[in-house]
Amino acid sequence: MDMESRQGNKSPSGMTHPNHRSSSKKKRGRNCCLICLAVLILVGLLFLILGLTVFKAKKPVITVNSVVLRDLGVSFDITKLQVHLNVTLQADLSVRNPNRVGFKYDSTSATLQYKGQVIGDAPVTAGKIGSRETRPMNITLTVMADRLFSNSGLYSDVMSGGLPLTTYVKLSGVVRVLFKIHVKSSTTCDLYIDVLNRKLVNQTCHYKTNL
């Protein structure tokens, strides 16, 4: 009887205690969570490294290749000390996108200025420049004569034989590298026109880019 009682209390061979099975499942679940977290961290670090190195946002560059005086007409009204002026300039620009992704820019205007006063403009339509692409832009700027009537300094400048003008172009847009990065690029060219000989004699350009 004693032998049968002891055999009856013995657990069958190969059976696992329920608490042990539950503990194993929890451990496996915890390990899976840790592995997934580690993979996510590694992927995040990889994207961060690529964003700061290979895909780091770079500044688009506007270059003024040439500015040509296409037309110049000057007439004087001596009684009113006024100048009637017609000027047409052709500006050949190029915009280089050094990024490995496209640069999308908004519509804007190129302006022609006389001593800070806008006397002419030309529209620049919105567009996109592809990865590492250089795109040419041809802009024609014409003086709007009515904007110069009130400028008293124009008469003396033209009478002295020279006309200082400034061209200004600014592009604003975004480069998408993991997230949107806003960039601005602009160029300003100071010009001097020899009125007597009807030619452009001096040109100095300045470039500026912001991220």
Side-chain angles (χ1 to χ4, degrees):
M1 292 293 294
D2 292 338
M3 183 179 295
E4 290 179 358
S5 177
R6 286 195 298 267
Q7 289 177 351
N9 293 333
K10 185 178 179 180
S11 298
S13 176
M15 295 293 291
T16 304
H17 197 278
N19 291 336
H20 182 68
R21 288 199 302 270
S22 177
S23 177
S24 298
K25 288 181 179 179
K26 289 181 180 179
K27 188 175 182 180
R28 284 197 299 269
R30 186 164 53 250
N31 290 339
C32 288
C33 290
L34 291 174
I35 292 172
C36 291
L37 181 60
V39 170
L40 290 175
I41 292 174
L42 288 175
V43 172
L45 288 174
L46 177 61
F47 276 106
L48 180 61
I49 292 171
L50 290 175
L52 294 175
T53 55
V54 178
F55 292 100
K56 182 180 180 180
K58 299 179 179 66
K59 306 170 183 177
V61 179
I62 301 176
T63 302
V64 178
N65 301 315
S66 66
V67 178
V68 179
L69 180 63
R70 292 298 184 192
D71 184 44
L72 175 62
V74 182
S75 61
F76 297 93
D77 186 342
I78 299 178
T79 58
K80 296 181 180 180
L81 296 179
Q82 288 184 345
V83 178
H84 298 282
L85 186 67
N86 292 310
V87 179
T88 301
L89 296 171
Q90 179 74 44
D92 293 332
L93 315 176
S94 61
V95 183
R96 182 174 64 88
N97 175 25
N99 294 284
R100 293 179 179 268
V101 294
F103 166 57
K104 187 176 182 180
Y105 58 91
D106 304 322
S107 58
T108 184
S109 295
T111 61
L112 182 64
Q113 303 174 16
Y114 170 72
K115 295 184 176 179
Q117 177 186 357
V118 176
I119 58 175
D121 56 60
V124 178
T125 57
K128 183 178 181 180
I129 303 176
S131 169
R132 296 184 173 182
E133 178 187 355
T134 298
R135 177 169 299 179
M137 290 186 179
N138 299 317
I139 299 173
T140 300
L141 292 163
T142 301
V143 170
M144 298 178 183
D146 58 316
R147 299 187 183 184
L148 285 170
F149 287 152
S150 61
N151 199 308
S152 59
L154 179 64
Y155 184 83
S156 59
D157 279 340
V158 175
M159 287 296 291
S160 66
L163 179 63
L165 296 175
T166 300
T167 62
Y168 178 74
V169 182
K170 178 181 179 180
L171 290 181
S172 300
V174 294
V175 175
R176 188 185 293 274
V177 183
L178 301 182
F179 48 87
K180 286 184 178 180
I181 299 177
H182 293 269
V183 295
K184 297 178 181 179
S185 184
S186 64
T187 179
T188 304
C189 287
D190 298 320
L191 313 173
Y192 189 81
I193 297 175
D194 184 342
V195 177
L196 297 178
N197 295 306
R198 297 175 179 270
K199 64 180 182 179
L200 185 64
V201 295
N202 192 24
Q203 172 185 324
T204 304
C205 296
H206 311 277
Y207 304 96
K208 184 179 180 181
T209 306
N210 294 321
L211 281 176

